[in-house]
Amino acid sequence: MAGGFVLEAGEPRSLRQEGKKLGGHRGRHYFNVVQMPVTAIGTDRQQSDVLTTRRVHLPEDVVGKTIDQWIIANGTSEEAKQQIWGPRKNCQNQRVYVGARANHNGKNEDVLALEPQYRAGPLDGVWATAPYLHNGSVPTLRDLLLPQKERPTSFCVGSREFDPVNVGLVTKTQASDTCAAGLTEFNVSLLGNGNRGHSFEGKETDLTKLRLVSLGQN
């Protein structure tokens, strides 16, 4: 994911415990965010590219002034205003910058370069959060635990029907099957829909995978 407050994968601690572990800021506890380069994860990079390269030009502090106008118009108290803004300032995420070398006017210099990264999503209640990966490109936990080349290339989204065996969305019998009325086809060949990454080739036995899927149902 591009954002989120999370546990490290495999750690059986609750989100509340993880927040306490990190400490806090001015009496508030914040979760330790697991963040990794897209190149290491191997998932679809389209969202990260947009988030790191997109530029929006706005008049100076237009967001802050808009919020201030809303606060005035609604007669918001000073206490409520402080709760809205919170104690932490919006600042750059320094962990997306890596050291690099660049040639400037014929001279090599040390510079900082942006490295696209994703933050993992919470694993609490993961059985109920299908479809999986940051772009929702894998329909079930069982599919996620397969080698990436064996994952479904298309499935239907929009149904509330749950598959308790594979843990996730009910998928097509055949990839060529059409979606029922009211549902939308998710095709992994489209831009931003790639289902690669977090692949499990040779990392888990079939028995262990089945146990992990069963754990997701409990």
Side-chain angles (χ1 to χ4, degrees), residues 10 19-20 24 31 34-35 73 81 85 111 122 128 139 157 175 198 208 218:
K20 289 182 178 179
F31 302 128
V34 178
Q35 180 174 296
K81 177 181 176 181
W85 280 111
V111 298
V157 296
H198 292 299
T208 302
N218 296 328

Side-chain angles (χ1 to χ4, degrees), residues 69-81:
Q69 287 298 318
W70 181 90
I71 288 173
I72 293 172
N74 287 273
T76 306
S77 67
E78 185 62 29
E79 181 180 359
K81 177 181 176 181

Side-chain angles (χ1 to χ4, degrees), residues 55-98:
R55 297 291 183 270
V56 178
H57 297 283
L58 296 172
E60 183 179 354
D61 196 25
V62 65
V63 175
K65 291 180 179 178
T66 301
I67 294 175
D68 285 340
Q69 287 298 318
W70 181 90
I71 288 173
I72 293 172
N74 287 273
T76 306
S77 67
E78 185 62 29
E79 181 180 359
K81 177 181 176 181
Q82 294 304 319
Q83 290 178 344
I84 292 172
W85 280 111
R88 303 181 76 185
K89 292 184 177 180
N90 187 17
C91 57
Q92 290 182 327
N93 179 3
Q94 298 301 319
R95 285 187 288 169
V96 303
Y97 293 95
V98 295

Side-chain angles (χ1 to χ4, degrees), residues 143-211:
D143 293 320
L144 185 63
L145 295 172
L146 291 174
Q148 55 190 12
K149 64 181 180 181
E150 298 178 21
R151 294 170 181 167
T153 57
S154 70
F155 54 93
C156 304
V157 296
S159 171
R160 293 187 177 183
E161 189 175 358
F162 180 76
D163 182 347
V165 176
N166 296 311
V167 190
L169 305 182
V170 175
T171 56
K172 300 177 181 180
T173 304
Q174 301 289 334
S176 58
D177 292 346
T178 58
C179 295
L183 303 185
T184 302
E185 181 181 33
F186 188 102
N187 190 318
V188 303
S189 67
L190 300 179
L191 182 65
N193 285 6
N195 65 354
R196 296 301 179 104
H198 292 299
S199 192
F200 284 82
E201 286 94 340
K203 296 182 181 178
E204 301 287 350
T205 64
D206 288 341
L207 180 59
T208 302
K209 290 178 185 178
L210 289 173
R211 287 174 176 169

